[in-house]
Amino acid sequence: MEKIALYHTGFTQIRKPDIHIGRPNADFGQGFYLSPDREFSRRWAKLRRGQDTWLNVYELSLDGLNVKQLSRDAAWYELIYRNRSGLAGNVEAWDVIIGPIANDTIYDTWGISTSGLLSREQSLALLMIGPEYVQAVIRTERAASRLRFVSARVLPEAEILQCRELVRREEAEFQRQFAAAIERML
């Protein structure tokens, strides 16, 4: 039985994720987004007055599920482009999709890469900048039924601040590389 650990960070402890809350035009379509990378999941940690920040831990049994594994390549870009453009027919067959997160959603350049202003080759080149982090989306009720809540813990403020500083440094470097790439394209 193949199982993977998954992580989700947010302001609530989520024992029963709702696959219908996410946006249909997200990178891999509507569903509950997590990461198999615990350290990356912590990068989403933020402070909000009066609320705890939780790191939720899950285990997903992949047996019998239709799982799509993606790499950071042209096929991955096409899937993201089609979802963001509202084009149907590209994710419905999969219970779970695991693949790279489009860096423009992490580093505040969302939309430039899939706006249609750049060629697909230019857009893919921009999405290749920066570190590669992986996400997993639970898309179907069948997959959600195989996602088992393991535990949750409140992240201490010092840990959250450390994560935010790491994200700030990564984003500054990403923005520098992104600007240089755009300049070369113009």
Side-chain angles (χ1 to χ4, degrees):
M1 181 181 290
E2 186 179 0
K3 295 181 180 181
I4 61 171
L6 295 168
Y7 306 90
H8 183 273
T9 301
F11 293 115
T12 57
Q13 186 182 85
I14 304 173
R15 290 183 173 271
K16 292 203 176 265
D18 185 347
I19 64 167
H20 303 290
I21 290 179
R23 296 181 339 260
N25 65 338
D27 285 354
F28 300 155
Q30 188 168 26
F32 183 65
Y33 281 78
L34 309 99
S35 179
D37 182 343
R38 180 185 174 277
E39 293 308 308
F40 173 73
S41 180
R42 291 173 54 242
R43 281 177 171 74
W44 295 106
K46 295 184 179 173
L47 293 172
R48 186 180 286 169
R49 184 180 300 194
Q51 288 191 288
D52 289 327
T53 302
W54 291 87
L55 175 64
N56 295 279
V57 181
Y58 305 88
E59 183 179 77
L60 177 64
S61 172
L62 298 175
D63 292 339
L65 295 178
N66 192 2
V67 178
K68 177 68 172 177
Q69 184 79 44
L70 296 166
S71 300
R72 211 175 186 186
D73 60 16
W76 163 78
Y77 172 77
E78 261 322 294
L79 187 137
I80 290 170
Y81 179 82
R82 289 182 60 81
N83 281 336
R84 289 184 183 178
S85 301
L87 302 172
N90 58 328
V91 295
E92 291 77 14
W94 301 307
D95 297 306
V96 178
I97 301 174
I98 302 170
I101 298 171
N103 61 24
D104 60 354
T105 60
I106 299 171
Y107 300 118
D108 297 328
T109 57
W110 197 89
I112 292 173
S113 299
T114 54
S115 66
L117 298 173
L118 303 171
S119 72
R120 292 190 183 215
E121 292 77 22
Q122 290 171 317
S123 295
L124 179 57
L126 291 176
L127 289 177
M128 299 299 262
I129 295 170
E132 182 176 330
Y133 295 114
V134 176
Q135 64 188 341
V137 60
I138 307 301
R139 296 196 23 77
T140 65
E141 292 295 342
R142 184 166 73 143
S145 73
R146 299 205 177 122
L147 184 68
R148 183 177 69 83
F149 176 81
V150 174
S151 65
R153 75 174 178 94
V154 173
L155 296 176
E157 183 175 336
E159 188 175 335
I160 295 169
L161 292 173
Q162 183 181 31
C163 292
R164 298 310 311 151
E165 177 57 24
L166 178 60
V167 170
R168 188 195 65 71
R169 286 194 314 263
E170 277 185 356
E171 184 166 4
E173 176 58 21
F174 171 82
Q175 294 293 350
R176 186 191 66 70
Q177 291 178 20
F178 190 85
I182 289 282
E183 222 172 88
R184 284 191 302 273
M185 290 176 187
L186 297 178

